């Protein structure tokens, strides 16, 4: 089913064309990423699709039968609602149907032989079941738990949550709405790695279509099988994974360049004839025909591809096997410890990635390593004093009133003009670009300048705090190449799994309760985590028997519903005169309720673990 068609879309701002000729289609079950440099109009395009911005030229066709869902806090109907009430709003028709069935059940208890009532009950109960009446509350619990909300928070009003939490609430509700087209603009921003990984799995299984604007290459690789790139004001559609897109882009560039060069040769040949015989009386008319032929040609633009690479010039550091850093019984935090008994080592060849959920103390640990903060207990020993290079992703150290040339020259006054221009060129600031004021540089250009100054400082050890935040894919590629080629040790905090996997050789994973030290890449660490989950769940394949997880989940849902129903019946019994007036009977009923609630907790735990798998 075609859900959305975009045809020859154009947008202008103050007479300047941001993009034109944007065309693509979205069909059911498509998983699509929109990519491009910052400032190419990705978010603008999304706003035009959802109707928040006017269309200057072109068309957007939306299937009238399709439900569209766009991630924003506008998804929340009222911030005065409690968290659980807001989630249940999605299922209000189903909840009303459940209440009608309950009333009908009471009538049937009084009139069990009424065939009309029985027929109505059977129809309503069947509709309730097929619409998910017996499982919607498990979906709510599952999705809220995955977004980091506990049952203790269910009755909190949404207005009391932080801005980031409100966005996660909106995200959770949007997934429960289950639209035919889910539109997400930078969905991984401010999400923990654990939530992102669960979200990837969820979107892969999502029955509807998904349209995502993101710079997260790892996320694109895991979820998307179609890529729309906005480049030089127009769109290019690529089918396949992110890795296939990278290969296809180069192939497309080479084909377009051949067509362009062929046309240029033809134009050059025709123009040569015109220049030669324009004033020749016998051949003037033929020359004029050649002019008309050139004019009639649809001129091809010269294709471009970003092949420029920053030329690294960090002085090679000899990688040493010696332990250069050791954390001993470290306790980190401020007034109260976030984590205690932290122990790990780092060798001279390590690229150490500090990862984990928000709030577990990653940045705090980095500040202690940097000696900007004292530990609450324990210590960090360095082998010797190291010249540390800090990568400031926010570019706070740059002088915005200077040009690139002036900034480099002021840091290194002994450089000749030629030397300043030479190092600037290594980081793609060619010729007159070196005279640009820093205040007008794009985000990517500022990052390149910070990298250049970092290189010139010739550090022994690099410390990076979220180095790829808010960067477009092209700038991320530069960052990855630069730090990958640095031969010395690096310590970094990051949520960017592509960067962690490419750069990191050792992982320090912080959780709410402990610290895991792991030698290896992020992919290897992920595999270890998977193995632990499988072992813990006790649901591993045994004797080569394949487990049908969906069947197991449905079976658990029925068992959970059965126990909940029995608990409700027993709780109703406690209001009966013959029960609450009999001390032994009320004790027996309450013990039975407690026993069933204990069983329910175990079953719900199994249910969540099965969803993980």
């Amino acid at each position: 089913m075609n859900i959305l068609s975009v045809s020859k879309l154009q947008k202008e701002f103050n007479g300047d064309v941001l993009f034109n000729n944007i065309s693509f289609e979205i069909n059911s079950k498509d998983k699509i990423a929109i990519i491009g440099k910052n400032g190419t109009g990705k978010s603008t395009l999304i706003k035009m699709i959802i109707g928040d911005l006017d269309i200057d030229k072109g068309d957007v066709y939306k299937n009238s039968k399709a439900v569209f869902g766009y991630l924003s806090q506008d998804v929340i109907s009222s911030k005065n609602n409690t968290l659980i009430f807001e989630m249940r709003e999605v299922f209000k028709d189903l909840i009303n149907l459940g209440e009608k069935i309950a009333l009908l059940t009471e009538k049937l208890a009084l009139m069990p032989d009424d065939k009309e009532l029985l027929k109505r009950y059977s129809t309503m109960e069947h509709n309730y079941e097929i619409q998910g009446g017996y499982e919607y509350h498990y979906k709510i619990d599952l999705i809220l738990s995955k977004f980091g909300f506990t049952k203790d928070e269910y009755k909190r009003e949404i207005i009391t949550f932080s801005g980031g939490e409100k966005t996660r609430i909106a995200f959770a509700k949007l997934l429960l709405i289950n639209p035919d087209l889910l539109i997400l603009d930078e969905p991984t921003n401010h999400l923990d790695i654990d939530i992102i990984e669960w979200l990837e799995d969820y979107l892969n299984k999502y029955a509807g279509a998904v349209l995502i604007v993101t710079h997260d290459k790892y996320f694109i690789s895991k979820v998307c099988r179609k890529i729309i790139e906005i480049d030089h004001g127009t769109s290019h559609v690529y089918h396949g994974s992110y890795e296939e897109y990278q290969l296809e882009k180069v192939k497309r560039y080479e084909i377009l360049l051949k067509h362009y060069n062929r046309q240029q040769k033809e134009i050059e040949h025709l123009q040569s004839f015109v220049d030669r015989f324009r004033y020749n009386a016998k051949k003037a008319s033929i020359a004029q025909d050649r002019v008309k032929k050139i004019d009639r040609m649809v001129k091809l633009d010269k294709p471009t591809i970003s092949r420029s690479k920053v030329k690294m010039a960090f002085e090679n550091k000899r990688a040493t096997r010696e332990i250069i850093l050791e954390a001993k019984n470290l306790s980190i935090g401020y007034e109260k410890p976030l984590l205690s008994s932290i122990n790990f080592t780092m060798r001279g060849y390590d690229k150490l990635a500090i990862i984990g959920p928000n709030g577990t103390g990653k940045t705090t640990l980095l500040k202690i390593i940097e000696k900007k903060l004292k530990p609450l207990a324990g210590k960090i020993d360095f082998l010797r004093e190291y010249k540390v290079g800090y990568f400031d992703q926010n570019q706070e150290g740059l002088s915005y009133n200077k040009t690139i040339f002036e900034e480099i020259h002021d840091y290194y006054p002994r450089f000749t003009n030629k030397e300043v221009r030479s190092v600037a060129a290594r980081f793609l600031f060619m010729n007159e670009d070196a005279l640009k004021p820093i205040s007008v540089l794009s985000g990517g250009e500022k990052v390149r300048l910070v990298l250049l100054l970092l290189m010139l400082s010739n550090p022994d050890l690099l410390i990076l705090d979220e180095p790829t935040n808010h960067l477009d894919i092209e700038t991320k590629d530069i960052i990855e190449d630069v730090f990958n080629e640095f031969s010395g040790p690096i310590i970094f905090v990051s949520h960017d799994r592509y960067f962690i996997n490419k750069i990191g050789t050792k992982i320090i994973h912080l959780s709410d309760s402990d610290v895991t030290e792991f030698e290896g890449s992020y992919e290897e660490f992920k595999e270890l985590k998977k193995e632990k989950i499988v072992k813990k769940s006790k649901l591993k394949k045994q004797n080569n028997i394949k487990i049908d997880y969906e069947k197991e989940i449905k079976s658990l849902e029925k068992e959970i519903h059965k126990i909940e129903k029995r608990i409700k019946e027993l709780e109703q019994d406690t209001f009966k005169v013959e029960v609450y007036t009999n001390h032994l009977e009320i004790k027996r009923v309450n013990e039975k309720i407690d026993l069933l609630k204990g069983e329910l907790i175990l079953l719900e735990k199994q249910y969540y673990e099965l969803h993980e798998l």
Side-chain angles (χ1 to χ4, degrees):
M1 177 179 78
N2 180 259
I3 295 174
L4 179 84
S5 292
V6 173
S7 178
K8 297 180 180 178
L9 213 59
Q10 180 171 314
K11 189 64 189 172
E12 295 180 15
F13 288 104
N14 301 318
D16 294 325
V17 176
L18 177 63
F19 54 66
N20 57 29
N21 201 28
I22 302 286
S23 300
F24 58 88
E25 287 190 348
I26 300 176
N27 298 310
S28 54
K29 297 189 178 180
D30 274 348
K31 305 292 188 290
I32 302 172
I34 298 178
I35 65 171
K37 291 181 185 178
N38 286 335
T40 52
K42 300 181 298 296
S43 294
T44 299
L45 174 60
I46 293 294
K47 286 176 183 174
M48 291 169 79
I49 288 170
I50 63 173
D52 281 0
L53 268 179
D54 292 335
I55 295 167
D56 294 340
K57 285 182 184 177
D59 296 294
V60 174
Y61 162 78
K62 296 179 188 177
N63 189 321
S64 58
K65 293 179 182 177
V67 177
F68 289 72
Y70 171 65
L71 178 58
S72 77
Q73 287 191 20
D74 291 340
V75 173
I76 299 168
S77 53
S78 172
K79 290 189 173 79
N80 293 318
N81 287 339
T82 62
L83 175 60
I84 192 63
F85 184 88
E86 186 67 30
M87 296 303 117
R88 285 177 178 161
E89 277 278 283
V90 177
F91 305 101
K92 60 184 177 184
D93 292 340
L94 201 53
I95 292 167
N96 289 337
L97 181 58
E99 288 168 356
K100 287 175 184 175
I101 290 170
L103 290 171
L104 208 55
T105 305
E106 289 175 13
K107 286 183 182 178
L108 274 169
L110 299 172
M111 296 179 285
D113 299 324
D114 190 318
K115 289 182 180 179
E116 183 59 35
L117 278 179
L118 278 167
K119 187 179 176 182
R120 278 174 61 201
Y121 174 84
S122 177
T123 303
M124 288 169 76
E125 202 274 338
H126 175 70
N127 289 336
Y128 188 71
E129 184 177 2
I130 62 171
Q131 289 174 39
Y134 295 121
E135 57 194 52
Y136 74 86
H137 47 295
Y138 302 120
K139 285 183 182 176
I140 290 173
D141 288 346
L142 175 68
I143 287 177
L144 284 179
S145 71
K146 291 303 176 185
F147 277 99
F149 298 104
T150 64
K151 287 192 175 181
D152 293 338
E153 295 173 302
Y154 278 18
K155 293 188 177 179
R156 268 181 67 184
E157 290 184 355
I158 293 169
I159 200 167
T160 66
F161 288 95
S162 69
E165 287 171 329
K166 288 189 185 92
T167 300
R168 281 191 278 129
I169 290 167
F171 208 155
K173 186 178 178 184
L174 192 60
L175 294 183
L176 290 170
I177 291 168
N178 203 38
D180 298 302
L181 175 59
L182 188 59
I183 302 173
L184 308 172
D185 194 350
E186 295 292 355
T188 61
N189 278 3
H190 314 298
L191 293 183
D192 295 338
I193 288 177
D194 289 347
I195 298 175
I196 295 169
E197 287 180 346
W198 170 81
L199 183 62
E200 285 167 351
D201 185 55
Y202 189 92
L203 294 179
N204 272 318
K205 295 171 184 172
Y206 190 71
V210 183
L211 180 65
I212 305 164
V213 170
T214 184
H215 295 304
D216 189 329
K217 293 188 280 185
Y218 202 98
F219 191 83
I220 297 169
S221 298
K222 293 293 179 185
V223 176
C224 301
R225 290 297 171 269
K226 185 174 174 181
I227 292 171
I228 299 162
E229 182 178 37
I230 302 179
D231 186 32
H232 290 84
T234 190
S235 60
H236 306 281
V237 179
Y238 298 87
H239 295 273
S241 66
Y242 181 75
E243 290 72 22
E244 289 168 324
Y245 145 77
Q246 289 177 304
L247 295 171
E248 187 60 34
K249 185 175 180 180
V250 174
K251 286 180 188 174
R252 178 179 282 191
Y253 165 79
E254 288 169 351
I255 290 166
L256 291 174
L257 188 62
K258 279 181 185 176
H259 290 321
Y260 172 79
N261 287 336
R262 191 180 297 133
Q263 188 184 66
Q264 288 300 304
K265 280 183 181 178
E266 187 183 354
I267 291 170
E268 190 179 330
H269 177 72
L270 293 169
Q271 190 63 48
S272 174
F273 185 93
V274 170
D275 293 342
R276 191 174 173 189
F277 298 108
R278 187 193 299 268
Y279 304 108
N280 184 312
K282 291 181 181 179
K283 295 187 177 181
S285 61
I286 301 172
Q288 193 59 37
D289 287 340
R290 299 289 195 276
V291 170
K292 288 176 183 177
K293 189 173 181 180
I294 293 170
D295 291 340
R296 283 197 300 268
M297 274 186 189
V298 177
K299 305 295 188 301
L300 299 174
D301 292 326
K302 186 175 183 179
T304 58
I305 191 167
S306 181
R307 286 186 164 181
S308 301
K309 189 178 177 184
V310 167
K311 293 177 177 63
M312 266 294 298
F314 279 116
E315 187 178 304
N316 276 333
K317 307 289 177 184
R318 195 179 65 163
T320 171
R321 291 189 59 82
E322 289 183 293
I323 292 172
I324 63 165
L325 178 154
E326 184 172 8
K328 298 177 180 176
N329 295 317
L330 208 61
S331 179
I332 65 169
Y334 293 89
E335 292 178 7
K336 293 180 180 178
L338 286 167
L339 280 171
S340 299
S341 302
I342 301 170
N343 294 280
F344 64 88
T345 59
M346 178 182 182
R347 295 186 184 275
Y349 54 75
D350 281 331
K351 307 285 192 290
L352 184 72
I354 301 171
I355 67 172
N358 290 331
T360 51
K362 300 183 300 295
T363 300
T364 306
L365 177 57
L366 199 67
K367 284 180 180 176
I368 289 167
I369 292 169
E370 293 173 335
K371 299 178 182 176
K372 291 179 180 176
L373 186 69
K374 288 185 178 181
L376 297 178
K379 61 178 180 174
I380 289 185
D381 287 334
F382 282 89
L383 179 65
R384 59 179 176 81
E385 282 293 320
Y386 290 93
K387 186 177 182 182
V388 178
Y390 301 100
F391 177 70
D392 176 18
Q393 199 268 326
N394 295 315
Q395 302 104 29
E396 289 176 3
L398 295 178
S399 306
Y400 284 81
N401 59 327
K402 296 177 184 176
T403 64
I404 293 169
F405 184 95
E406 289 167 342
E407 183 80 336
I408 299 168
H409 198 274
D410 287 354
Y411 270 101
Y412 300 96
R414 292 186 179 181
F415 279 12
T416 64
N417 288 357
K418 186 179 178 181
E419 285 171 330
V420 171
R421 286 189 174 277
S422 175
V423 295
R426 287 183 204 168
F427 281 76
L428 312 182
F429 298 114
M430 308 293 184
N431 304 321
E432 298 307 304
D433 284 347
L435 301 179
K436 275 187 182 179
I438 293 171
S439 58
V440 303
L441 298 182
S442 68
E445 287 172 326
K446 286 172 190 168
V447 167
R448 277 192 273 129
L449 180 54
V450 170
L451 285 172
L452 186 159
L453 296 171
L454 187 62
M455 176 203 74
L456 292 174
S457 71
N458 193 25
D460 300 315
L461 167 69
L462 290 179
I463 293 182
L464 326 169
D465 191 1
E466 296 289 1
T468 60
N469 265 10
H470 312 300
L471 300 181
D472 57 36
I473 287 174
E474 188 172 291
T475 309
K476 283 185 179 185
D477 288 340
I478 290 172
I479 291 263
E480 287 158 10
D481 288 342
V482 167
F483 294 133
N484 200 38
E485 291 181 34
F486 178 67
S487 59
I490 300 176
I491 303 170
F492 65 96
V493 168
S494 181
H495 283 96
D496 186 333
R497 293 158 303 154
Y498 198 96
F499 181 81
I500 296 166
N501 201 48
K502 186 165 182 177
I503 306 301
T505 61
K506 183 169 184 173
I507 307 285
I508 300 296
H509 180 267
L510 309 187
S511 71
D512 291 330
S513 55
D514 63 5
V515 176
T516 304
E517 183 179 12
F518 178 79
E519 298 275 356
S521 68
Y522 178 72
E523 281 294 337
E524 291 165 334
F525 176 70
K526 239 180 100 175
E527 285 303 312
L528 179 74
K529 274 174 70 182
K530 271 186 191 173
E531 284 173 23
K532 284 184 177 178
I533 290 170
V534 173
K535 285 175 186 174
K536 192 177 176 182
S537 68
K538 296 179 183 177
L539 290 168
K540 280 174 63 175
K541 294 175 187 175
Q542 293 175 355
N543 303 321
N544 295 321
I545 297 169
K546 190 176 179 181
I547 294 169
D548 186 339
Y549 291 114
E550 286 189 13
K551 189 177 177 182
E552 290 281 342
I553 286 167
K554 284 183 179 177
S555 175
L556 274 175
E557 282 174 354
K558 285 180 182 177
E559 188 63 28
I560 288 167
H561 176 63
K562 187 178 169 184
I563 291 174
E564 282 185 329
K565 192 177 179 182
R566 183 63 185 134
I567 290 169
K568 199 170 182 180
E569 287 169 356
L570 287 168
E571 285 174 340
Q572 290 297 319
D573 285 348
T574 61
F575 294 102
K576 293 177 180 177
V577 177
E578 63 268 30
V579 175
Y580 71 74
T581 56
N582 185 324
H583 173 69
L584 291 174
E585 186 62 15
I586 191 77
K587 186 182 177 186
R588 185 191 69 78
V589 172
N590 282 330
E591 282 176 352
K592 184 66 176 170
I593 289 170
D594 289 342
L595 189 67
L596 287 169
K597 282 184 176 177
E599 282 182 44
L600 192 63
I601 289 166
L602 290 173
L603 286 171
E604 284 182 338
K605 191 178 178 186
Q606 266 188 293
Y607 179 83
Y608 292 141
E609 285 176 346
L610 274 169
H611 268 284
E612 284 277 1
L613 294 166

